Amino acid sequence: MKITWFGHAAFRIEIAGAVILIDPFLSGSPVFPKDLSVDEASAGVTHILLTHGHDDHIGDTIEIAKKTGAQITGNAEICGWAGKHGIEALNPMNSGGKIDVGPFSVAMTIAHHSSSRHTSEEGNIYLGNPHGLVISAPGEKTLYHMGDTCAFMDMQLINELHAPKIGIVPIGDRYTMGAREASLACKRFFDFETIIPCHFGTFPGLDPDAEKFKAELGADASKVNVATIGEAFTV
């Protein structure tokens, strides 16, 4: 599995038979690399997975889907909204659901956050509940993108059901878990082999780096991969 972090909660996941974008907030992101284009970041994309409807997660979804023909998977409200914008390749789901899309399967977990989108043309639009995403593929370690969330006790059920070994974890505080809460979630509820922190350093008010998170993890800090934005790595 090859993973590229594009900053904030945006990731590119490459596995056999599929190239997946999660929450592709690219062109509007202040930390998206200036020497990288959206077309380059989304080249060959087959699937777009969305955790929730905030602008800093939906990002360039519609434009990328129209250019690439990538299938959008998200909650029912997000898929309905995307359909109104001309997207036909849609795969709606909701909390607790799991679907097989061929090269991989994706399960949708709960997350505790909010979810809407605001544009000058449409105003504020309700886009369903926020979620986390669990990606499973043959021969690959199971990956859990928590979405934007606080810690919650049902994370132990997520681990029991899916046993993810790769955790993409929001740590920036203010809008999601901060360092202490995120580290507690990782240590108490999961047996991650690789922890990839995200949702930090993007905007003022978020923790600027992952140092507090690593300190809170203690001995488990060795599992942390603080990715370099725009550079692929393999897990």
Side-chain angles (χ1 to χ4, degrees):
M1 179 182 293
K2 184 158 71 171
I3 300 176
T4 308
W5 183 42
F6 292 127
H8 208 51
F11 287 85
R12 177 183 171 107
I13 313 292
E14 298 178 55
I15 59 173
V19 177
I20 306 159
L21 282 183
I22 302 176
D23 289 357
F25 175 51
L26 307 176
S27 64
S29 170
V31 296
F32 183 66
K34 291 181 172 54
D35 60 350
L36 186 65
S37 70
V38 173
D39 285 347
E40 290 171 322
S42 60
V45 164
T46 57
H47 299 79
I48 301 170
L49 309 184
L50 300 172
T51 63
H52 65 291
H54 284 158
D55 295 357
D56 58 335
H57 293 260
I58 287 207
D60 300 284
T61 291
I62 298 300
E63 294 78 8
I64 292 171
K66 286 181 176 179
K67 277 191 174 183
T68 64
Q71 181 187 80
I72 296 175
T73 295
N75 69 36
E77 289 82 2
I78 287 175
C79 286
W81 169 83
K84 292 179 180 178
H85 286 265
I87 306 302
E88 296 181 0
L90 298 168
N91 208 353
M93 58 187 308
N94 219 314
S95 308
K98 184 175 182 179
I99 54 176
D100 187 338
V101 298
F104 66 96
S105 64
V106 57
M108 190 164 271
T109 73
I110 63 170
H112 291 293
H113 193 58
S114 56
S115 178
S116 63
R117 181 171 172 80
H118 181 83
T119 67
S120 57
E121 298 83 13
E122 298 174 302
N124 202 53
I125 307 165
Y126 167 71
L127 288 178
N129 292 326
H131 291 97
L133 301 164
V134 179
I135 298 171
S136 305
E140 301 286 0
K141 296 175 181 178
T142 298
L143 180 149
Y144 173 35
H145 189 307
M146 293 183 177
D148 283 9
T149 191
C150 60
F152 51 95
M153 289 299 293
D154 284 351
M155 284 180 168
Q156 62 190 341
L157 294 178
I158 294 170
N159 186 61
E160 185 175 345
L161 285 165
H162 303 289
K165 293 302 178 184
I166 304 168
I168 296 178
V169 183
I171 67 163
D173 217 342
R174 184 175 291 267
Y175 300 110
T176 69
M177 298 183 289
R180 181 169 180 265
E181 189 172 341
S183 66
L184 183 149
C186 290
K187 290 188 290 186
R188 178 175 295 187
F189 300 125
F190 298 100
D191 185 25
F192 291 136
E193 295 176 4
T194 303
I195 300 170
I196 305 167
C198 70
H199 213 283
F200 67 90
T202 317
F203 306 113
L206 301 183
D207 280 359
D209 54 45
E211 293 308 306
K212 287 196 294 184
F213 176 61
K214 290 168 65 178
E216 290 284 353
L217 279 172
D220 285 340
S222 60
K223 300 178 179 180
V224 176
N225 184 336
V226 182
T228 300
I229 296 174
E231 293 187 10
F233 58 96
T234 302
V235 293

